[in-house]
Amino acid sequence: MSTELVRNAPVRAEYGMVLKALKPVLHDLPAIIVVIDGRVGSGKTTLGRFLAWRFNITLIETDLFMHRNKGKFTYRNDHVAEIIKERMASDRPVLVEGVVALRLLEDLCLTHAFHVHLICDESEGSSITELEWNKYDAKYQPSAKADLSLCLPPLT
């Protein structure tokens, strides 16, 4: 992979594993949802942007639709649902990335076809996100249930 592939995105050898896993899933670009989750700062958005560029598909960065309210991540679900519905109607895959992305999809009564869970020892967040993450982790068990768990070492 060359640095020119995605401007301002770090080149990570680990992305090759994701490409290999997603290539058969995204072959012929079916109207499916691929979800990327992980703690704050784990590299979800960077990976999502890379994959969106590589497969020429839509990425929904859920942080853009988030309200921080009473110690809990809440989203403008109607906006996210509308975007997903529109993209899926055009028979194209959609990437959805976010800290609690599985919960968001559940709230929207949507299912994913593939789940990438990112782990990074350097990721950390505020006490609000840590509390929310612990609840999310207990309910959805993303490390155990993901189609692909990826441990990204910190960028140097």
Side-chain angles (χ1 to χ4, degrees):
M1 247 182 277
S2 126
T3 312
E4 294 300 312
L5 289 180
V6 181
R7 293 182 194 271
N8 301 322
V11 176
R12 303 202 67 143
E14 297 85 3
Y15 288 1
M17 295 170 53
V18 181
L19 289 174
K20 185 177 179 180
L22 282 176
K23 197 170 186 177
V25 174
L26 294 176
H27 178 71
D28 291 334
L29 299 173
I32 62 169
I33 298 171
V34 174
V35 66
I36 304 169
D37 71 356
R39 289 179 179 267
V40 171
S42 61
K44 298 175 303 297
T45 302
T46 303
L47 174 62
R49 288 176 181 175
F50 172 78
L51 294 172
W53 172 86
R54 174 63 178 80
F55 291 105
N56 192 25
I57 59 178
T58 298
L59 169 65
I60 299 174
E61 298 177 30
T62 61
D63 286 357
L64 301 175
F65 300 93
M66 180 174 51
H67 299 288
R68 291 187 188 215
N69 184 13
K70 298 180 183 176
K72 182 178 180 180
F73 284 110
T74 58
Y75 296 93
R76 294 185 302 248
N77 289 359
D78 52 337
H79 296 298
V80 175
E82 184 179 328
I83 294 168
I84 292 172
K85 181 181 176 183
E86 180 182 306
R87 298 307 191 270
M88 302 267 302
S90 65
D91 291 328
R92 299 284 292 178
V94 177
L95 290 165
V96 177
E97 70 82 13
V99 174
V100 293
L102 293 174
R103 188 186 78 198
L104 174 63
L105 291 179
E106 180 180 72
D107 290 348
L108 299 175
C109 299
L110 296 171
T111 58
H112 61 279
F114 198 89
H115 173 203
V116 179
H117 176 66
L118 294 184
I119 303 163
C120 178
D121 292 336
E122 295 295 310
S123 61
E124 54 185 71
S126 68
S127 59
I128 292 172
T129 57
E130 189 66 24
L131 175 64
E132 193 67 14
W133 176 260
N134 290 336
K135 290 178 187 176
Y136 177 81
D137 191 44
K139 180 174 181 178
Y140 297 97
Q141 301 172 354
S143 294
K145 295 183 178 179
D147 295 294
L148 176 65
S149 283
L150 187 61
C151 185
L152 294 177
L155 289 171
T156 55

